[in-house]
C-alpha cells in the first residue's frame, strides 16, 4: 500500500523517492520539484520502517530550507521532528562538536565568531604583533584564513613561497593559536574541526556511520571540497548517500563551490542510479527552450533537457535601449502595464548582474512612484561604501555636520580611537562648537598627529575640489579619502568599488538633468537623502522585487526582467580572465531565465554611464545562443537593420568562448578599422589578449583589452602598438 503522500509524483520523482538503500544522484532541473522529492524520500524511508527519524541526516544550505523541510515532513507524517538531524553544514557540525567538545579539543561553552568578530580578533592580533595593516590588510588576512580552511588546509599545510606568503602563513598560525586560547571558532573552523574530529577518532566515526545509514543532501552542486570530503567521510562505504542537485545551477564558484563534486560522487560511491528530473512545473515552453539552448553551449555537463506539459506561452521580449536611463524607463512602463493586467508587483522581479546597476533602476522607479523592495541587499544609497562617500562629501559641504565627521574620522582606519573621539566630543560640548572646530583646535595644538592628518586631508580635498564639476568632486573624494585603496583590498571589494563608480554616474546624471536648477554639491546631497528615504516599500506591502541574479536562485515570479545584457556586464568582464568564467556566467544566465513562469523580458543599452563616462557596449553573447524564433523585439533594432547590437553581417567571428558575439560597427570608429571587439591581439609589453570594449573615434579612439597575464587595460589606438594575434 502506497502512502498518500506519494500521489501526484511523476514517474521519475516516484522512482527517486522509492529507490532502495543505495548511493544515488538526482539531477534535478529548475522547477522540477526537487525539494518535494527530497522531503518525500525522507517521509517514505520513515513510513516504510527503513529508518527512524533519529537515524537519518539531511543537509541543506540555509536554515530557512531546513525549517521548510521539517515542516513538510511534519505535514506528511505524525511525528515529532524536533530531534532530527536536519540542518546546514555549519549547524550540523556545531551540533556534533558540542556533543564531543573534549575529543575536538574545545571548551564546553565554546563561542562562534561571526565575520565581524573574526575581523576584530585579527586586527587585535596584528596590532599586538606590530604588523603593518596596509601591507597585510586585515580583511585580506581573513579571506586567506577562511579560503585555506574551506580547502581543508591548516597553517602548516599552506604554501609559503615568498616573504608575503610566509607572513600570511604566520598570521594564520597565530590566529589559530589565539582562537584556541580564547575558546572560540569561526564558521570555517566548525566544518574543518568536525572533519578533523571524524578523521582522527575512529570510534566516533564508526558510531556516526552506524547511526546515519541514510544521508540526504540538497543543492549538492553548491558543496565545496571540504564539505564533500566531510560527507564522504561520514558516509563511508556502506551508507546510502542521496544527493540532489543541478550542475547547470552551480553559480557559487567564488565561494569555493564545485560542480565537479557531482562527478566525483558517481566515481567515489559507484553510483549506479542517476535519475534526471526534467519535467518543469514552473515555466512556459518558450522560456524553457531558451534556457535549454543557452546552457547547451557549456561543456562537461551531466546533461538534461527541461520540458513542460504546459503551453509554449509568449516569446521572450527583447528591448534594445539607447541608454541605461532609456532601459530603466522601458522597464517602468512595462511594470505598470503588467500591473494594469492584474499582475501583482510582488510577482514581478527585476534582475541585474551587478549591484551597481540598481541605482539607475531605483531612481526610475522612485520617480514613477512604483513601490519596490531590494531583495537580499540594501538600496543603493544605504550601502556602506555609499554612505561613507556621502559623509565625506557632507563634511566638505558643511563644517557643522557632526554626524558625517563621526562616520569618517576613522574610516578608513587612521589610528583615531574611542578615547580621542570622547575628548573631541567633550571639547566641542564645553566650547559650544562643532566637532570639526574642536578637531581643528586639537590639531593646531599639536596634541594628536592622527587628528591633525585628518583635518589636513579634509582641507586639502576641500581646496582641490573648490572649482571642479560635481562628478569630478565625487571622483576626487572617493580616491583621496582612502576609500578606493581600502575596498580594493577587501574580498568583496569589487562590488563596492563598482557602487562607488555608480555614485559618480549618479552625479553626472544629476548635473545633466534639465529639470535640476541647482546642481551644486549641497543640492546633490539633498537629492541623495530624498532617494534614500521612503521610496522602498514596507515589509508586507505589494512591491516590485529588485535583486542580483545570485540572490534570485531558488525564487520564481510571474514576470522577470533581466537587465544590462551587454558584453562586460552580463557576462561580466571578470569572466574573461577566469578559468571557465564564461561557463559560470552562462549558468548564472540559465538561473535568471528559469525564474520566470509566464513572461520574460531581456533588455540592453547601447551606451551606459560607467565611472562618470559614457561607454559603448555590444549585445551580450547570450543573445546569439538563444534561437531567434524564441525572441520578440520590442521597439528596438535588435538583430535588425544595421543595429550595433548583434548585426549578423557586422564582422568576423572569433573562435573560442569569447566569441559568442558578432562584431558591431562601434560608434565613432572608422568603417575600415582593422580592430574588432572579440578580436585576439598581442602587445609588446602586455602580451596576448582580447579586445573587450571600445570607445571614441579618430585620434581619440581607445580599446579595452583583457590581457591573459596583465589584466584589463584601456589603450589609445594612436599610440598602442597592438598587432592581430
Amino acid at each position: 500500500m502506497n502512502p498518500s503522500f506519494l500521489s501526484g509524483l511523476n514517474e521519475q520523482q516516484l522512482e527517486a523517492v522509492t529507490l532502495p538503500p543505495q548511493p544515488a544522484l538526482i539531477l534535478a532541473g529548475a522547477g522540477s520539484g526537487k525539494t518535494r522529492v527530497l522531503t518525500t524520500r525522507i517521509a517514505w524511508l520513515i513510513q516504510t520502517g527503513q529508518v527512524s527519524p533519529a537515524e537519518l541526516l539531511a543537509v541543506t544550505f540555509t536554515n530557512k530550507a531546513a525549517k521548510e523541510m521539517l515542516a513538510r515532513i511534519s505535514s506528511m507524517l505524525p511525528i515529532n521532528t524536533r530531534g532530527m538531524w536536519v540542518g546546514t553544514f555549519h549547524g550540523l557540525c556545531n551540533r556534533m562538536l558540542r556533543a564531543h567538545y573534549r575529543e575536538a579539543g574545545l571548551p564546553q561553552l565554546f563561542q562562534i565568531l561571526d565575520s565581524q568578530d573574526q575581523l576584530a580578533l585579527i586586527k587585535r592580533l596584528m596590532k599586538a604583533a606590530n604588523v603593518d595593516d596596509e601591507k597585510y590588510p586585515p580583511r585580506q588576512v581573513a579571506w586567506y584564513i577562511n579560503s585555506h580552511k574551506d580547502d581543508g588546509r591548516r597553517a602548516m599545510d599552506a604554501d609559503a613561497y615568498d616573504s608575503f606568503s610566509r607572513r600570511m602563513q604566520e598570521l594564520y598560525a597565530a590566529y589559530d593559536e589565539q582562537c584556541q586560547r580564547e575558546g572560540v571558532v569561526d564558521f570555517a573552523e566548525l566544518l574543518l574541526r568536525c572533519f578533523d574530529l571524524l578523521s582522527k577518532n575512529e570510534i566516533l566515526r564508526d558510531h556516526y556511520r552506524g547511526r546515519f545509514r541514510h544521508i540526504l543532501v540538497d543543492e549538492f552542486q553548491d558543496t565545496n571540497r571540504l564539505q564533500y570530503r566531510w560527507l564522504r567521510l561520514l558516509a563511508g562505504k556502506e551508507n546510502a548517500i542521496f544527493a540532489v542537485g543541478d550542475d547547470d545551477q552551480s553559480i557559487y564558484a567564488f565561494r569555493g563551490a564545485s560542480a565537479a563534486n557531482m562527478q566525483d560522487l558517481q566515481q567515489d560511491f559507484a553510483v549506479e542510479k542517476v535519475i534526471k528530473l526534467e519535467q518543469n512545473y514552473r515555466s512556459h515552453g518558450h522560456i524553457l527552450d531558451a534556457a535549454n539552448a543557452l546552457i547547451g553551449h557549456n561543456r562537461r555537463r551531466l546533461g538534461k533537457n527541461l520540458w513542460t506539459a504546459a503551453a509554449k506561452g509568449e516569446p521572450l521580449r527583447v528591448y534594445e535601449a539607447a541608454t541605461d536611463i532609456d532601459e530603466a524607463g522601458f522597464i517602468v512602463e512595462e511594470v505598470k502595464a503588467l500591473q494594469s493586467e492584474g499582475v501583482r508587483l510582488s510577482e514581478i522581479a527585476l534582475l541585474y548582474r551587478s549591484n551597481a546597476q540598481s541605482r539607475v533602476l531605483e531612481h526610475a522607479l522612485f520617480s514613477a512612484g512604483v513601490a519596490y523592495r531590494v531583495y537580499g541587499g540594501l538600496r543603493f544609497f544605504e550601502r556602506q561604501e555609499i554612505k561613507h562617500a556621502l559623509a565625506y562629501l557632507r563634511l566638505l559641504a558643511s563644517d557643522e555636520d557632526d554626524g558625517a565627521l563621526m562616520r569618517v574620522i576613522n574610516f578608513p582606519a587612521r589610528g583615531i580611537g574611542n578615547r580621542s573621539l570622547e575628548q573631541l566630543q567633550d571639547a566641542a560640548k564645553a566650547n559650544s562648537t562643532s566637532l570639526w572646530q574642536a578637531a581643528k583646535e586639537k590639531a593646531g595644538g599639536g596634541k594628536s598627529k592622527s587628528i591633525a592628518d585628518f583635518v589636513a586631508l579634509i582641507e586639502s580635498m576641500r581646496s582641490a575640489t573648490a572649482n571642479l564639476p560635481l562628478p569630478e568632486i565625487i571622483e576626487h573624494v572617493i580616491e583621496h579619502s582612502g576609500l578606493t585603496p581600502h575596498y580594493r583590498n577587501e574580498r568583496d571589494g569589487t562590488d563596492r568599488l563598482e557602487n562607488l563608480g555608480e555614485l559618480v554616474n549618479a552625479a553626472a546624471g544629476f548635473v545633466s538633468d534639465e529639470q535640476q536648477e541647482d546642481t551644486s554639491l549641497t543640492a546633490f546631497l539633498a537629492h541623495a537623502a530624498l532617494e534614500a528615504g521612503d521610496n522602498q516599500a514596507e515589509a508586507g506591502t505589494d512591491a516590485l522585487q529588485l535583486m542580483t541574479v545570485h540572490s534570485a536562485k531558488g525564487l520564481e515570479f510571474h514576470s522577470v526582467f533581466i537587465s544590462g545584457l551587454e558584453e562586460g556586464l552580463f557576462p561580466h568582464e571578470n569572466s574573461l580572465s577566469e578559468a571557465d568564467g564564461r561557463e559560470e556566467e552562462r549558468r548564472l544566465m540559465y538561473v535568471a531565465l528559469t525564474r520566470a513562469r509566464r513572461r520574460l523580458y531581456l533588455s540592453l543599452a547601447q551606451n551606459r554611464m560607467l565611472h562618470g563616462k559614457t561607454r559603448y557596449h555590444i549585445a551580450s553573447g547570450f543573445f546569439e545562443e538563444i534561437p531567434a524564433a524564441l525572441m520578440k523585439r520590442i521597439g528596438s533594432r535588435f538583430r535588425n537593420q544595421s543595429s550595433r547590437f548583434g548585426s549578423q553581417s557586422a564582422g568576423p567571428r572569433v573562435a573560442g568562448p569569447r566569441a559568442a558575439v558578432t562584431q558591431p560597427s562601434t560608434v565613432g570608429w572608422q568603417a575600415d578599422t582593422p580592430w574588432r571587439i572579440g578580436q585576439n591581439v598581442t602587445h609588446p609589453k602586455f602580451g596576448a589578449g582580447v579586445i573587450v570594449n571600445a570607445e571614441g573615434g579618430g585620434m581619440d579612439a581607445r580599446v579595452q583589452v583583457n590581457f591573459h597575464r596583465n589584466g584589463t587595460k584601456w589603450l589609445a589606438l594612436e599610440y598602442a602598438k597592438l598587432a592581430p594575434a
Side-chain angles (χ1 to χ4, degrees), residues 25 89 133 154 224 229 241 287 315 449 508 616 640 700 711:
L25 175 62
F89 280 101
D133 60 6
R154 293 290 183 191
N224 63 30
R229 289 170 62 194
I241 188 164
I287 295 170
K449 185 177 182 306
Y616 300 95
N640 192 23
D700 297 323

Side-chain angles (χ1 to χ4, degrees), residues 30 171 195 213 227 276 285 439 457 459 503 511 581-582 591 636 655:
L171 289 170
F195 177 80
R213 309 299 293 183
Q227 288 165 343
K276 298 179 181 181
L457 171 67
E459 288 183 335
L503 184 63
V511 169
R582 189 86 182 194
V591 167
S636 74

Side-chain angles (χ1 to χ4, degrees), residues 494 568 571-583 585 657-658 688-690 692 705-713:
T494 302
H572 199 278
E573 61 185 355
N574 290 348
S575 67
L576 290 172
S577 57
E578 297 169 355
D580 296 327
R582 189 86 182 194
E583 296 211 351
E585 292 291 299
R658 298 185 181 91
V690 61
V692 296
V705 183
N706 183 62
F707 292 104
H708 306 326
R709 296 194 308 271
N710 292 282
T712 303
K713 301 183 183 296

Side-chain angles (χ1 to χ4, degrees), residues 537-558:
E538 297 294 325
T541 60
D542 189 38
L544 178 70
Q545 306 294 305
L546 270 66
M547 66 192 77
T548 64
V549 182
H550 280 102
S551 298
K553 188 170 179 286
L555 304 177
E556 61 179 82
F557 304 90
H558 176 281

Side-chain angles (χ1 to χ4, degrees), residues 470-471 474 503-513 524 609 612-613:
L470 180 61
I474 296 174
L503 184 63
V504 180
N505 295 346
F510 181 79
V511 169
S512 63
D513 188 347
F524 176 73
M609 294 287 288
K613 298 177 181 175

Side-chain angles (χ1 to χ4, degrees), residues 400-626:
E400 305 297 318
D401 197 329
D402 287 354
L405 183 141
M406 289 295 290
R407 185 175 188 93
V408 299
I409 191 170
N410 199 43
F411 191 93
R414 47 179 62 91
I416 301 173
N418 291 332
R419 179 61 182 151
S420 296
L421 291 177
E422 288 173 7
Q423 291 173 348
L424 276 186
Q425 289 171 314
D426 291 342
K429 186 177 180 180
N431 299 317
S432 299
T433 64
S434 66
L435 288 175
W436 172 255
Q437 193 58 44
K440 284 184 68 175
E441 290 175 2
K442 190 166 185 175
K447 297 178 181 178
S448 173
K449 185 177 182 306
S450 298
I451 290 177
D453 289 344
F454 174 72
V455 169
L457 171 67
I458 300 300
E459 288 183 335
S460 69
M461 288 198 298
R462 186 177 287 147
S463 174
T465 59
N467 298 311
L468 292 179
L470 180 61
E472 292 182 28
I473 292 175
I474 296 174
E475 209 165 13
H476 182 94
V477 168
I478 289 170
E479 184 61 40
H480 290 82
S481 63
L483 291 176
T484 295
H486 173 80
Y487 289 121
R488 196 176 285 136
N489 290 320
E490 280 196 352
R491 184 181 182 180
D492 60 347
T494 302
D495 282 347
R496 296 192 187 276
L497 290 172
E498 285 181 356
N499 285 334
L500 288 171
E502 187 56 34
L503 184 63
V504 180
N505 295 346
F510 181 79
V511 169
S512 63
D513 188 347
E514 295 178 356
Q515 296 182 352
Q516 297 292 342
E517 296 180 3
D518 183 0
T519 57
S520 66
L521 175 59
T522 302
F524 176 73
L525 290 170
H527 161 79
L530 288 170
E531 289 219 357
D534 300 326
N535 52 320
Q536 180 162 253
E538 297 294 325
T541 60
D542 189 38
L544 178 70
Q545 306 294 305
L546 270 66
M547 66 192 77
T548 64
V549 182
H550 280 102
S551 298
K553 188 170 179 286
L555 304 177
E556 61 179 82
F557 304 90
H558 176 281
S559 300
V560 171
F561 294 81
I562 308 174
S563 63
L565 282 166
E566 303 132 36
E567 285 293 309
L569 195 56
F570 197 7
H572 199 278
E573 61 185 355
N574 290 348
S575 67
L576 290 172
S577 57
E578 297 169 355
D580 296 327
R582 189 86 182 194
E583 296 211 351
E584 178 95 355
E585 292 291 299
R586 195 174 284 114
R587 290 192 292 270
L588 198 56
M589 181 63 176
Y590 176 84
V591 167
L593 293 172
T594 53
R595 297 312 93 195
R597 295 198 299 268
R598 296 294 177 264
R599 191 173 292 181
L600 185 58
Y601 295 84
L602 312 178
S603 65
L604 63 161
Q606 294 182 8
N607 63 74
R608 69 176 62 242
M609 294 287 288
L610 292 171
H611 310 297
K613 298 177 181 175
T614 300
R615 296 281 172 85
Y616 300 95
H617 295 274
I618 62 173
S620 170
F622 297 149
F623 285 114
E624 295 295 323
E625 298 174 355
I626 298 173

Side-chain angles (χ1 to χ4, degrees), residues 637-683:
R637 297 171 297 144
F638 179 77
R639 290 193 182 175
N640 192 23
Q641 302 171 6
S642 59
S643 174
R644 301 177 52 249
F645 288 76
S647 171
Q648 296 287 7
S649 60
R653 303 273 302 208
V654 182
R658 298 185 181 91
V661 297
T662 55
Q663 168 55 33
S665 55
T666 306
V667 172
W669 280 30
Q670 301 297 321
D672 61 349
T673 177
W675 308 113
R676 299 284 184 269
I677 294 174
Q679 183 177 2
N680 293 309
V681 295
T682 60
H683 187 275

Side-chain angles (χ1 to χ4, degrees), residues 177-246:
E177 291 172 6
Q178 186 65 27
C179 286
Q180 194 64 32
R181 279 195 296 271
E182 295 184 16
V184 296
V185 296
D186 53 49
F187 284 119
E189 181 68 22
L190 283 171
L191 188 60
L192 182 55
R193 185 69 67 102
C194 193
F195 177 80
D196 287 344
L197 173 67
L198 294 177
S199 298
K200 298 171 183 176
N201 195 314
E202 185 179 355
I203 295 173
L204 273 180
R205 185 171 67 247
D206 289 344
H207 165 75
Y208 282 109
R209 283 178 177 177
R211 176 175 179 175
F212 299 129
R213 309 299 293 183
H214 290 267
I215 299 173
L216 303 96
V217 191
D218 194 14
E219 304 287 3
F220 193 77
Q221 78 281 348
D222 293 335
T223 54
N224 63 30
R225 295 305 296 172
L226 181 59
Q227 288 165 343
Y228 176 65
R229 289 170 62 194
W230 182 80
L231 288 168
R232 191 173 62 187
L233 188 65
L234 199 57
K237 295 184 182 296
E238 304 298 325
N239 293 341
I241 188 164
F242 186 89
V244 182
D246 183 2

